């Protein structure tokens, strides 16, 4: 929830949307992430924003911060657009972060940086971004277990080899049964 003065910007839940329950993970607990190799030599993005820092900054006050309300306690506090509360840790791969997600963000930023009348807006860009925002948050809250794909097990790659490939836009396949099953 982001507020600017008396204006509240919130994203209402989808009708019927309920996050999947993950065995062994308490309600409201953030899923663990797979850390990079020490010192992150491939410069993979670790702190990934649900909602872009650029869009968050449009709600800045005079202190270059936004007000955030913690719903469980109704506590209001101020945070910078790079604050961890707006981020997840390596929930999606580098290819998604710098590839198709970046192009969706760029199209959305063009819309919010140049507000037009309703008929002149790029509604596809706005809709794609809203869906991306929802998916990012969903995958942050719900961790899917690794699944065998046609009896193919994981690779014998080392962590370093995986990160080298990821930094060169290779992807690894995960089956997300909570979404597609």
């Amino acid at each position: 929830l982001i507020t600017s003065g008396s204006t509240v910007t919130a994203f209402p839940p989808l009708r019927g949307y309920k996050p999947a329950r993950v065995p062994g993970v308490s309600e409201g607990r953030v899923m663990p992430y797979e850390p990079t190799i020490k010192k992150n030599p491939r410069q993979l993005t670790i702190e990934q924003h649900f909602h872009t820092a650029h869009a968050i900054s449009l709600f800045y006050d005079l202190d270059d911060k936004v007000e955030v309300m913690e719903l469980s306690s109704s506590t209001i506090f101020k945070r910078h657009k790079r604050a961890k509360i707006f981020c997840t840790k390596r929930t999606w791969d580098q290819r998604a972060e710098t590839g198709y997600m970046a192009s969706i963000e760029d199209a959305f930023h063009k819309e919010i940086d140049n507000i037009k009348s309703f008929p002149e807006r790029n509604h596809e860009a706005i809709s794609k971004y809203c869906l991306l925002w929802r998916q990012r948050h969903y995958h942050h809250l719900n961790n899917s277990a690794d699944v065998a794909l046609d009896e193919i097990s994981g690779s014998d790659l080392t962590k370093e080899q995986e990160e080298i490939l990821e930094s060169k836009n290779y992807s690894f396949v995960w089956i997300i049964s909570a979404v597609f099953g």
Side-chain angles (χ1 to χ4, degrees), residues 81-167:
K81 66 184 176 185
R82 302 270 180 221
K84 291 182 184 291
I85 194 167
F86 301 122
C87 297
T88 187
K89 287 191 171 192
R90 290 191 40 79
T91 301
W92 46 88
D93 66 6
Q94 191 67 20
R95 181 173 169 248
E97 176 75 13
T98 59
Y100 67 88
M101 287 186 180
S103 64
I104 291 170
E105 291 173 354
D106 291 345
F108 178 72
H109 290 164
K110 285 180 185 173
E111 292 304 303
I112 63 176
D113 289 342
N114 184 21
I115 303 297
K116 303 172 202 122
S117 68
F118 187 81
E120 295 175 328
R121 292 179 192 156
N122 181 347
H123 295 279
E124 182 177 348
I126 296 166
S127 295
K128 282 183 177 181
Y129 181 79
C130 287
L131 289 170
L132 177 62
W133 185 7
R134 285 190 183 281
Q135 286 300 310
R136 286 174 169 176
H137 195 251
Y138 175 86
H139 289 290
H140 168 69
L141 295 176
N142 300 281
N143 190 22
S144 299
D146 292 339
V147 176
L149 182 62
D150 291 332
E151 299 181 28
I152 298 171
S153 62
S155 69
D156 293 327
L157 296 174
T158 66
K159 178 78 170 154
E160 182 174 12
Q161 290 169 326
E162 284 182 4
E163 287 190 10
I164 289 169
L165 290 171
E166 185 177 350
S167 71

Side-chain angles (χ1 to χ4, degrees), residues 22-33:
V22 180
V25 175
S26 307
E27 182 91 19
R29 194 166 149 222
V30 176
M31 297 304 304
Y33 80 104

Side-chain angles (χ1 to χ4, degrees), residues 1-19:
L1 180 72
I2 301 171
T3 67
S4 177
S6 60
T7 305
V8 177
T9 302
F11 206 64
L14 289 171
R15 189 174 307 148
Y17 170 80
K18 291 181 184 172

